[in-house]
Amino acid sequence: MFKFLIMSVSCIALLSACNQENANKLDPNKVYFFYQSTCPHCHHALEYINRSAPEVSLEMLSIDGPGRELFIQCVEKFDLPRNSIGTPLICMGDNYLMGWSSEYEVKFDEYIAPYRIKDVMQK
């Protein structure tokens, strides 16, 4: 009985660790929106995204909190210069946008197109 209990606890701990490890890796099927609450560009980007692509699920992550690890992974994935990293940083598979201005709207619409199809098909 004791061996069974130890094995059960070990299996649960191992599964939990695997889930936690996968939760800390960028998923190419997700759209990540890294932000800072005081960033006006983040608010403008989010307003546009909510208007133009409300059906797309965003993984909203503050870089001042638990999202920092994934933020760093995104920075490294796209080899962004560390001395000029800003928010918002939107990671979509093999594409990203850093910062926001009205000129970015066209690029966002282009990059988000495959995610619109996926989200609509899943519903």
Side-chain angles (χ1 to χ4, degrees):
M1 178 70 171
F2 185 70
K3 277 185 178 181
F4 176 76
L5 181 62
I6 295 294
M7 286 179 59
S8 296
V9 170
S10 297
C11 287
I12 291 170
L14 183 60
L15 287 173
S16 177
C18 288
N19 287 339
Q20 186 65 24
E21 183 177 313
N22 289 335
N24 292 330
K25 290 186 178 178
L26 287 175
D27 181 345
N29 298 310
K30 289 185 177 182
V31 178
Y32 294 95
F33 186 95
F34 297 100
Y35 69 94
Q36 290 179 298
S37 60
T38 58
C39 170
H41 303 292
C42 294
H43 294 285
H44 293 260
L46 197 53
E47 287 171 12
Y48 177 80
I49 293 167
N50 286 335
R51 259 193 338 267
S52 70
E55 75 283 2
V56 175
S57 301
L58 298 178
E59 185 82 20
M60 300 288 297
L61 298 161
S62 170
I63 66 166
D64 298 322
R68 186 159 187 77
E69 185 177 330
L70 285 174
F71 175 75
I72 291 168
Q73 285 181 39
C74 188
V75 167
E76 290 172 350
K77 175 180 180 176
F78 294 107
D79 197 26
L80 302 175
R82 297 219 177 215
N83 60 346
S84 62
I85 299 170
T87 57
L89 177 59
I90 307 166
C91 296
M92 303 166 270
D94 291 331
N95 298 300
Y96 76 93
L97 290 171
M98 183 170 54
W100 191 261
S101 68
S102 58
E103 293 85 31
Y104 280 37
E105 294 173 2
V106 173
K107 274 290 187 208
F108 175 81
D109 291 341
E110 177 188 330
Y111 292 163
I112 203 67
Y115 295 92
R116 288 176 188 248
I117 295 167
K118 287 179 189 175
D119 281 0
V120 169
M121 291 175 67
Q122 290 176 351
K123 290 182 180 179

